[in-house]
Amino acid sequence: MILLGIETSCDDTATAVVRDGRDVLSNVATNQDAFHSKYGGIVPEIASRQHLALLSAAVEDALERAGVTLGELDGIAVTAGPGLVGSLTIGVASAKALAYASGVPLYAVNHLHGHIFAAFLETDALPAYPFLALLVSGGHSQLVRVASELDLTVLGKTRDDAAGEAFDKTARLLGLPFPGGPAIDALARDGDPKAFAFPRHTPDAGTLDMSFSGIKTNVRYFLDTEAGRRANRADVAASFQAAIVDVLIDRLDRAYTLDPTYESVVLAGGVAANSALQSAFRAWAARHRVTAHIPPNTYCTDNGAMIAAAGYRQRRALEADPRSLTANPNLPFSIAR
Ligand code: KG4
Ligand code: ZN
């Protein structure tokens, strides 16, 4: 089953053609960073205008590189939310027009589902339900119990900034470019993660919520002190990153302690590309003898392939679920694909 995935929820104009939710036949990512970086963050109006300018070519590119025509697709999967409304609207309107013009079915995909199912792209591994997903991006940070393709429950989430947002804001304090996550990750490689002990958010036992804005604020106050002004920036970056990773792994550990029946865990979202978080996540999984799934870095940050992957799983689940069956007075004679 070959699906076109379209993702425009934020500032990436991304398209991809994916076979069976796994094999990426093409992946086109048109990054808008150059348009937003001078503002130090994403400007929603600029993002939607850029999507409008870039999306048609990105769709054509994805089809051409995959060697398929629109009519040969088995479906189009598009991010329906959550995200910036103007940005989402461009993707949804375009996908509807393409589906209408070609007669190909359209699937509305939740952006967060997309991040989670990115972990099963380009691998023979299949999701084993239920699994636990640690989803960390620029807009979200949450622990999710994934009981099936369609049954996802948020167990805990950030009470303030998302982890990626904390990376971006702290990078700005350190004079690093936007997006800050990759910049901090790179700088931290030369730093000592134990140089400064920024306080970790530690709620009552059993609580799975998280908080990251305190860590960022602590870095800000520290940089204003005499010691902060003299501090090695790589040490500050590494210590900040270590604090974020500690909070995330602590909440993962708490979730697992509450229900130690999970046999696999997924790390997803843009921050899943972080090298320190990946190492800590793998080490945690090895200690608990659970399988760790982490998407390749290209599929951690927003992309079209993850939307096609989630669309595929959703479609398979709906086909298999008798509750999705509806009477169709115009049922075609041949419905086999
Ligand atoms: O998933 P994503 O592309 O967009 C959202 O859905 O939000 O995530 C973007 C976030 C940004 O905050 C970016 O700084 C962060 O992911 N990020 C990273 C790394 N690569 C991207 N954060 C830490 N380390 C990285 N290597
Ligand atoms: Zn995202």
Side-chain angles (χ1 to χ4, degrees):
M1 187 188 296
I2 297 182
L3 298 189
L4 168 71
I6 298 179
E7 156 60 35
T8 65
S9 69
C10 194
D11 64 329
D12 292 287
T13 313
T15 53
V17 175
V18 179
R19 186 195 294 124
D20 294 341
R22 186 189 63 185
D23 307 321
V24 182
L25 307 184
S26 65
N27 183 48
V28 178
T30 319
N31 189 287
Q32 300 183 4
D33 286 350
F35 297 94
H36 299 282
S37 58
K38 64 177 172 228
Y39 302 102
I42 294 152
V43 183
E45 182 63 23
I46 293 178
S48 36
R49 283 171 192 270
Q50 282 303 313
H51 287 312
L52 193 58
L54 299 168
L55 186 55
S56 296
V59 167
E60 273 173 34
D61 230 20
L63 294 173
E64 198 179 304
R65 287 190 208 180
V68 294
T69 63
L70 197 55
E72 284 165 356
L73 293 170
D74 294 298
I76 298 172
V78 63
T79 305
L84 301 169
V85 67
S87 291
L88 288 166
T89 302
I90 304 297
V92 168
S94 306
K96 281 168 81 172
L98 288 168
Y100 186 67
S102 63
V104 161
L106 179 65
Y107 303 103
V109 171
N110 183 304
H111 180 79
L112 305 175
H113 293 197
H115 274 305
I116 291 172
F117 289 102
F120 302 99
L121 283 167
E122 303 284 37
T123 167
D124 289 336
L126 290 168
Y129 302 105
F131 64 82
L132 192 58
L134 177 58
L135 172 54
V136 274
S137 70
H140 294 83
S141 294
Q142 51 198 36
L143 269 160
V144 186
R145 175 188 164 83
V146 185
S148 80
E149 290 85 349
L150 303 175
D151 183 357
L152 296 91
T153 311
V154 176
L155 304 175
K157 58 182 183 347
T158 182
R159 292 177 179 171
D160 39 59
D161 288 354
E165 195 179 349
F167 268 98
D168 294 336
K169 288 177 175 169
T170 303
R172 211 166 156 181
L173 297 173
L174 290 169
L176 297 170
F178 177 84
I184 289 191
D185 195 349
L187 181 61
R189 283 171 212 265
D190 301 323
D192 175 5
K194 293 202 167 74
F196 308 106
F198 297 121
R200 277 74 166 150
H201 173 243
T202 43
D204 297 340
T207 306
L208 299 178
D209 281 353
M210 24 193 140
S211 164
F212 301 106
S213 72
I215 302 173
K216 169 207 68 194
T217 306
N218 249 274
V219 174
R220 181 153 69 84
Y221 287 146
F222 173 69
L223 289 173
D224 277 345
T225 64
E226 191 47 42
R229 277 189 284 274
R230 277 189 281 108
N232 175 333
R233 300 268 136 157
D235 286 345
V236 178
S239 301
F240 160 79
Q241 182 172 272
I244 300 276
V245 170
D246 277 358
V247 170
L248 290 170
I249 299 296
D250 175 77
R251 270 350 90 85
L252 173 71
D253 195 64
R254 287 174 186 226
Y256 184 75
T257 307
L258 291 173
D259 179 3
T261 59
Y262 295 105
E263 287 174 8
S264 60
V265 286
V266 161
L267 182 62
V271 183
N274 185 266
S275 57
L277 179 57
Q278 289 188 356
S279 311
F281 189 82
R282 286 214 166 85
W284 179 90
R287 265 198 315 281
H288 293 84
R289 296 182 198 289
V290 301
T291 308
H293 299 285
I294 305 178
N297 279 359
T298 341
Y299 305 122
C300 287
T301 43
D302 292 350
N303 64 88
M306 71 184 202
I307 301 306
Y312 168 80
R313 307 252 163 235
Q314 186 174 314
R315 171 168 163 164
R316 293 299 303 267
L318 288 170
E319 276 173 355
D321 181 352
R323 287 170 300 182
S324 69
L325 183 64
T326 50
N328 179 359
N330 301 315
L331 191 68
F333 177 67
S334 168
I335 53 169
R337 285 201 167 271

